[in-house]
Amino acid sequence: MAAIPAEAPPALAPPPPYAEPPRRRRPCVLLSFSAARDRFLRHRFISAGLRPFSVRLPSPAGTGTVVHLWAPPRPVRRPVLLLHGFGASATWQWAPYLRSLLAAGLDPIVPDLLFFGNSSSTLPDRSETFQARTIKAAMDGMGVRRFAVVGVSYGGFVGYRMAAMYPEAVERVVLVSSGVCLEEQDLAAGLFPVADVREAAELLVPRRPAEVRRLVKLTFVRPPPVMPSCFLRDYINVMGSDHIQEKTELLFSLINDRKLSDLPKIRQPTLIVWGEQDQVFPMELAHRLERHLGDNSRLVVVKNAGHAANIEKSKEVCKIIVDYFQEPVDSSASVRGKVSTGWYACQLKINNTFIHSKDIFKVIDLVTTEHNSYCCEAQFSVRFFFIHIVLIVIQYT
């Protein structure tokens, strides 16, 4: 597999300086509700038949890039790449969708984007182009050469870029609450609840309970009336304390000097899903994207939903996605390429052991034993149902 070239990062205004606070010891799972929920959601992925893999990508000397993802432990049938947005890791955002997608004959592949979850890179590039190239390399490493893409919010930016860069690989695109048509001048024009990139970074990378509350109120039509600070602080400590500087740089790279005239038109059939009352990416951006793509796109508006429509209306959004993928594909609407079901040679890591992909079926049993304890943790989490409701709503995108 070809190495990902190191590119010079685009010229950007420097992100706001951030001094990393002393790293707190992560709470014991028996005391941390966020940690308990995280392990419970991982168990849901295991129960759905997905397994965790780490794909180490070839990189220039002295650098390293690892993509963590969940995928079926067998050659996939109809792969669907699910790309999460800002907020918690991929498991928190996609767990409600797995069984419906699998029941429809679709095979979800769920990566952590770089600097989220367990994916990381020492390369300096923070653009969505680099994210797209990295995820595509990971898909090649898993032997998946043809797939559909579903991207939520920031994940939609990455998915759109993948469709533009790899039309022979991406068959269809679903963009959920993803303002890929935004321009930097929209912030100054008052289209968003923030006035500049720095304020956007403070909103989407919250570091204090008050910032999480503000984000939840902006992303949900019906936010919970009570969000205790102790639970929000626990969530930040467990799920939101890593790679803060890198995530801030991602936002600067995404928004700085962004112009609609620079956005390529993708040729794949594209479904646009939007919450009717989205305050983060207003409906104007949905209509702008539909105009930009023309007849190749379709807009579906979810009533009584905000930016977090994928969470507020998860069943409705999931049904929209499944129904869309059940429709026949117009072969003239996208570029066709040769489909390969072979598993490419790359390094995979299971239980912290890197293995060759050709041996993948010999070691699948390794990933099950360490997860046997999840059931008792799930029972523990049920006792704290109210607390988990609070945690669910902070799975913002």
Side-chain angles (χ1 to χ4, degrees), residues 18 21 23-24 26-27 32 34 92 205-213 229-242 244 247 391 394 396:
Y18 174 68
R23 185 60 60 87
R24 300 181 182 180
R26 294 209 166 181
S32 169
S34 297
W92 286 56
V205 190
R207 301 162 190 171
R208 290 175 289 274
E211 295 171 348
V212 176
R213 288 192 189 92
S229 294
C230 58
F231 301 143
L232 301 183
R233 192 175 295 110
D234 172 64
Y235 168 80
I236 294 171
N237 289 340
V238 173
M239 301 300 300
S241 60
D242 293 334
I244 291 178
K247 291 174 182 176
L391 292 173
I394 60 178
Y396 48 84

Side-chain angles (χ1 to χ4, degrees), residues 104-337:
L106 303 168
D107 282 328
I109 299 176
V110 190
D112 287 325
L113 295 174
L114 291 179
F115 310 116
F116 297 87
N118 294 320
S119 295
S120 62
S121 176
T122 58
L123 294 172
D125 198 337
R126 300 291 182 261
S127 66
E128 74 257 41
T129 298
F130 179 61
Q131 290 269 19
R133 187 184 300 114
T134 300
I135 297 301
K136 177 58 167 62
M139 295 291 280
D140 287 344
M142 297 293 291
V144 182
R145 303 301 302 275
R146 185 84 177 153
F147 50 89
V149 174
V150 181
V152 171
S153 194
Y154 176 69
F157 286 79
V158 178
Y160 190 98
R161 189 60 58 176
M162 290 184 71
M165 295 170 62
Y166 308 106
E168 75 287 348
V170 178
E171 181 180 29
R172 295 188 186 187
V173 179
V174 178
L175 303 174
V176 182
S177 306
S178 185
V180 296
C181 275
L182 72 85
E183 298 184 295
E184 184 181 10
Q185 65 183 15
D186 291 331
L187 278 73
L191 185 61
F192 304 113
V194 295
D196 54 35
V197 185
R198 293 178 185 273
E199 190 177 352
E202 292 175 358
L203 175 66
L204 294 175
V205 190
R207 301 162 190 171
R208 290 175 289 274
E211 295 171 348
V212 176
R213 288 192 189 92
R214 182 192 177 198
L215 181 61
V216 171
K217 290 178 180 178
L218 282 173
T219 53
F220 286 81
V221 171
R222 295 180 179 178
V226 178
M227 289 180 278
S229 294
C230 58
F231 301 143
L232 301 183
R233 192 175 295 110
D234 172 64
Y235 168 80
I236 294 171
N237 289 340
V238 173
M239 301 300 300
S241 60
D242 293 334
H243 300 298
I244 291 178
Q245 183 64 24
E246 289 86 352
K247 291 174 182 176
T248 301
E249 292 168 357
L250 291 177
L251 288 171
F252 271 74
S253 176
L254 190 71
I255 300 175
N256 266 24
D257 297 323
R258 192 177 187 91
K259 299 181 180 67
L260 180 59
S261 58
D262 296 333
L263 186 69
K265 290 186 178 181
I266 59 176
R267 291 175 284 177
Q268 294 89 339
T270 302
L271 179 67
I272 305 167
V273 183
W274 221 273
E276 182 184 33
Q277 301 181 47
D278 194 330
Q279 298 183 68
V280 176
F281 291 142
M283 280 295 304
E284 161 59 23
L285 294 181
H287 296 299
R288 187 187 296 178
L289 179 58
E290 187 180 27
R291 292 192 300 268
H292 182 74
L293 295 178
D295 295 337
N296 209 33
S297 65
R298 183 199 319 167
L299 173 62
V300 176
V301 178
V302 181
K303 302 291 185 181
N304 299 316
H307 183 67
N310 61 306
I311 298 172
E312 276 191 299
K313 301 284 186 176
S314 60
K315 291 183 179 179
E316 182 177 346
V317 172
C318 186
K319 185 178 186 305
I320 291 170
I321 293 172
V322 169
D323 290 348
Y324 178 66
F325 286 136
Q326 299 293 3
E327 298 175 4
V329 179
D330 181 1
S331 60
S332 64
S334 60
V335 176
R336 296 292 171 184

